Amino acid sequence: MTAADAPTLAQFFEAWDLFRDPALSGAVAGALLGWLGVYVVLGRMVFLSAALSQAAGLGVALAFWAGAAAGTAGASTGASWLSPWLGSIGMTGLATLLLLADRSPGGIRREAALGFAYLAGAAGTLAVGTRIAAEAHDIDTLLFGSAVAVVPGDFRLLLAVAAGLLLLHAWTVRGMAQAAFSSEAARVRGLPVGLLRILLFGSLAVAISVCTRVIGALPVFALSVLPAVAATRLAPSVRGALLLATVFGALSGFAGYVVAFLYSLPVGASQTLLAAVLVAAAFLAGLPASLRMRAARYRRGIAGPGTP
Amino acid sequence: MAAKEDRVVLAARALEVGYRGRALLPPVDFEMRPGQLWGLIGPNGAGKTTLLRTLLGLQPRVAGELERGDGVRVAYVPQREDAGPGVPGRAKDVVADGLDRGWSFLDPVAHWRRRPEVRRALAEAGAAAFANQRFLELSEGQKQRVRVAGALVSSPDLLVLDEPTSAMDQAGEHAVFDLLEALRVSRNLAVLVVSHHAHLMLQHVTHLLFVDRECRTVAAGAVDEVLSDPCVRAHFAEGGFEHPQASGVTEGGRP
């Protein structure tokens, strides 16, 4: 393809009716995953979103397989008795319960359970994919993201879930942050920490399962980690990080789709790379503050660790 | 009704702590009242954390009774935050988090309305000067003042601190205990501090809670009273500690 043949931004917006739903799906999923990703990143649970998105992928693949095996027409559009939505939410819910059940000291078993969920999900999706040749395109879509394949019903569901979860989290933000980052002090002050944590993990499970069905496992993992990494580098507070990560996530999801169109790239890869560029930019922008902090620590080291 | 000074903030009666129904330590009885500064001490692995978590209601007791006075508010400053050092926030944000109790976090403008309380707590803990600085950029001593302000902002009756002087030098440790002593007096606050720095404790506390699984001892009460326990005296003697209140300890730790 020559430079003259390359698609232009004008062409993208001329065909807006065609690209609207998938491009906005990227933005909406990015915003939701960006907000929730702050809890994932600061709670050192990065692998959680990878494992849940793979489990969601397996759920979708199993739903396709069940539909194909039963000879149900329209399995790929979610019309079978076991719709991809149900498969996705069911498997993600199962993986979340497995992870929440861990009470081992230091979460040692949780690490192992995360690895199990990730590997079983990834390998299972690929294995099931070989048994449903007619749906092979959909398996690729749910693993790596899709260029155009977002049906209006999927977009509307994603929009409703994102709006509901973001409103809920905006309302409970103070309690949620304390339950996630200083749970014991919060429990002593009577905050319903157990309930808030269930709400947080439940939100992650629902968000990841719905977003994986719409935009694919790779961009879901990327958008639930990278915007939050960039935001926590720059924001002065948790609430600032939540807002910034939401903006970064929406930007990565939408602009990633546009860049994929302009440069003929896979959408999931494009969204992931754009989010990675934001992380690199955030690290550069945060460098002066980081150097100031190191210098202050160094000076205190000379003056003594207990310098009041 | 009992005067505020006389009321019991926290009382343990034949309280046994442990895991899965098995007691780690013998039963303990004590009553904490306003204006008392209690030190929870003991060797490493003595059961201090288990007792502390039980007193805070973070884990169930094995046997006995644990009573909080009517309407008593407890604030807790843990040794470490769950999420480690990466959580962004200014000092005043950390303090404002302490405002929430129960379901109050559902009120979206509560923190905005209660900003004066945050300013007062920061000033009382000597942290007003760095209220707008990022918490991560503060020294250990400054961070501890901010954490104490975060506990004070909810107007507690009992303030509990777990190893508040870890990672500090001697001057920093004394500064923290001076602050706690000042708060105990000015607010008539009951304070419980866990520390393995027994020597530092004895210079500041009014009461002691000593635990040691090895010699199956839990001693609680006024400092003099607790120091008369042979196991406690042995503990101080082994630490090479000399203090007027712990005198009478012979070589080898036995009176």
Side-chain angles (χ1 to χ4, degrees):
Chain A
M1 185 165 60
T2 64
D5 299 332
T8 63
L9 205 55
Q11 286 172 330
F12 178 84
F13 285 108
E14 277 165 18
W16 177 244
D17 283 348
L18 178 64
F19 297 130
R20 184 191 58 209
D21 284 0
L24 291 181
S25 290
V28 172
L32 175 61
L33 294 169
W35 179 292
L36 295 177
V38 171
Y39 296 106
V40 169
V41 169
L42 292 180
R44 290 176 290 185
M45 308 184 288
V46 166
F47 209 49
L48 175 79
S49 58
L52 291 185
S53 57
Q54 290 297 343
L58 177 59
V60 177
L62 284 172
F64 283 143
W65 177 75
T72 313
S76 65
T77 57
S80 77
W81 63 272
L82 178 59
S83 76
W85 290 114
L86 280 179
S88 171
I89 288 175
M91 284 304 290
T92 315
L94 203 63
T96 308
L97 285 177
L98 179 75
L99 300 171
L100 279 176
D102 173 52
R103 292 281 182 274
S104 59
I108 293 167
R109 278 203 301 272
R110 192 173 77 176
E111 285 294 300
L114 281 172
F116 172 79
Y118 177 84
L119 293 168
T125 307
L126 290 170
V128 172
T130 64
R131 294 290 176 269
I132 43 174
E135 309 290 355
H137 171 71
D138 296 288
I139 296 298
D140 282 347
T141 294
L142 68 93
L143 283 178
F144 304 114
S146 161
V148 288
V150 176
V151 295
D154 286 358
F155 175 62
R156 281 196 296 273
L157 180 65
L158 172 66
L159 201 58
V161 167
L165 287 180
L166 283 172
L167 276 173
L168 176 70
H169 277 264
W171 186 33
T172 59
V173 62
R174 293 204 316 264
M176 202 66 82
Q178 292 182 63
F181 308 134
S182 53
S183 62
E184 293 205 327
R187 276 177 70 188
V188 169
R189 282 185 279 109
L191 272 73
V193 171
L195 182 66
L196 287 165
R197 288 180 75 90
I198 289 171
L199 205 58
L200 175 60
F201 278 89
S203 303
L204 278 167
V206 170
I208 286 173
S209 60
V210 170
C211 293
T212 300
R213 169 71 185 107
V214 178
I215 67 169
L218 172 70
V220 163
F221 179 34
L223 293 173
S224 62
V225 173
L226 298 176
V229 171
T232 51
R233 171 83 173 170
L234 298 176
S237 63
V238 170
R239 262 164 278 179
L242 289 164
L243 290 174
L244 206 54
T246 305
V247 172
F248 285 167
L251 187 67
S252 304
F254 182 83
Y257 190 88
V258 177
V259 169
F261 171 81
L262 295 177
Y263 298 98
S264 302
L265 296 169
V267 175
S270 174
Q271 289 167 327
T272 302
L273 287 172
L274 206 73
V277 168
L278 282 176
V279 171
F283 267 76
L284 283 177
L287 207 55
S290 178
L291 290 174
R292 272 201 311 275
M293 201 190 309
R294 277 166 195 256
R297 276 191 198 143
Y298 178 72
R299 282 196 298 274
R300 277 200 298 271
I302 293 171
T307 308
Chain B
M1 201 168 84
K4 197 177 176 186
E5 301 76 47
D6 297 335
R7 71 174 178 153
V8 175
V9 172
L10 187 70
R13 295 189 183 86
L15 177 70
E16 292 184 55
V17 301
Y19 293 95
R20 295 185 186 126
R22 292 183 61 182
L24 284 180
L25 298 162
V28 61
D29 292 83
F30 62 83
E31 286 184 348
M32 286 183 192
R33 292 171 190 277
Q36 295 178 344
L37 175 48
W38 284 71
L40 172 52
I41 56 171
N44 286 334
K48 296 194 293 285
T49 303
T50 309
L51 178 56
L52 180 78
R53 289 179 59 80
T54 308
L55 295 180
L56 289 168
L58 294 172
Q59 75 176 63
R61 61 187 187 275
V62 171
E65 286 178 33
L66 183 63
E67 284 174 24
R68 272 188 202 178
D70 281 344
V72 163
R73 291 173 161 220
V74 182
Y76 174 46
V77 181
Q79 192 177 357
R80 290 185 198 89
E81 287 79 13
D82 306 356
V87 179
R90 291 158 297 193
K92 63 182 182 186
D93 299 326
V94 174
V95 176
D97 279 345
L99 285 168
D100 284 317
R101 283 194 169 269
W103 292 83
S104 71
F105 64 88
L106 292 177
D107 178 353
V109 293
H111 280 198
W112 183 81
R113 219 174 34 237
R114 297 176 68 184
R115 281 176 303 171
E117 293 170 53
V118 174
R119 281 197 291 272
R120 272 200 299 276
L122 280 160
E124 207 173 347
F130 35 88
N132 289 310
Q133 278 188 44
R134 284 188 182 214
F135 184 73
L136 298 176
E137 294 176 6
L138 303 178
S139 71
E140 279 308 312
Q142 289 171 329
K143 282 179 183 169
Q144 206 53 264
R145 284 180 184 275
V146 172
R147 291 188 187 109
V148 170
L152 289 178
V153 78
S154 65
S155 305
D157 303 285
L158 171 62
L159 173 60
V160 181
L161 304 98
D162 189 5
E163 298 283 0
T165 59
S166 59
M168 284 186 197
D169 64 6
Q170 217 174 2
E173 290 173 351
H174 278 288
V176 169
F177 272 94
D178 287 343
L179 171 64
L180 295 178
E181 208 167 336
L183 292 171
R184 172 184 77 82
V185 174
S186 66
R187 284 196 172 220
N188 197 28
L189 193 64
V191 183
L192 171 64
V193 185
V194 182
S195 176
H196 60 273
H197 294 309
H199 62 286
L200 185 66
M201 284 275 211
L202 278 193
Q203 295 171 49
H204 295 274
V205 298
T206 61
H207 291 71
L208 277 177
L209 189 47
F210 177 87
V211 295
D212 190 349
R213 281 169 73 185
E214 288 285 308
C215 53
R216 301 284 300 162
T217 297
V218 182
V223 172
D224 291 344
E225 200 181 309
V226 173
L227 287 176
S228 66
D229 184 287
C231 182
V232 181
R233 294 162 79 96
H235 173 74
F236 281 103
E238 279 161 18
F241 176 65
E242 289 177 21
H243 187 277
Q245 292 178 90
S247 60
V249 178
T250 61
E251 201 173 342
R254 299 290 166 198

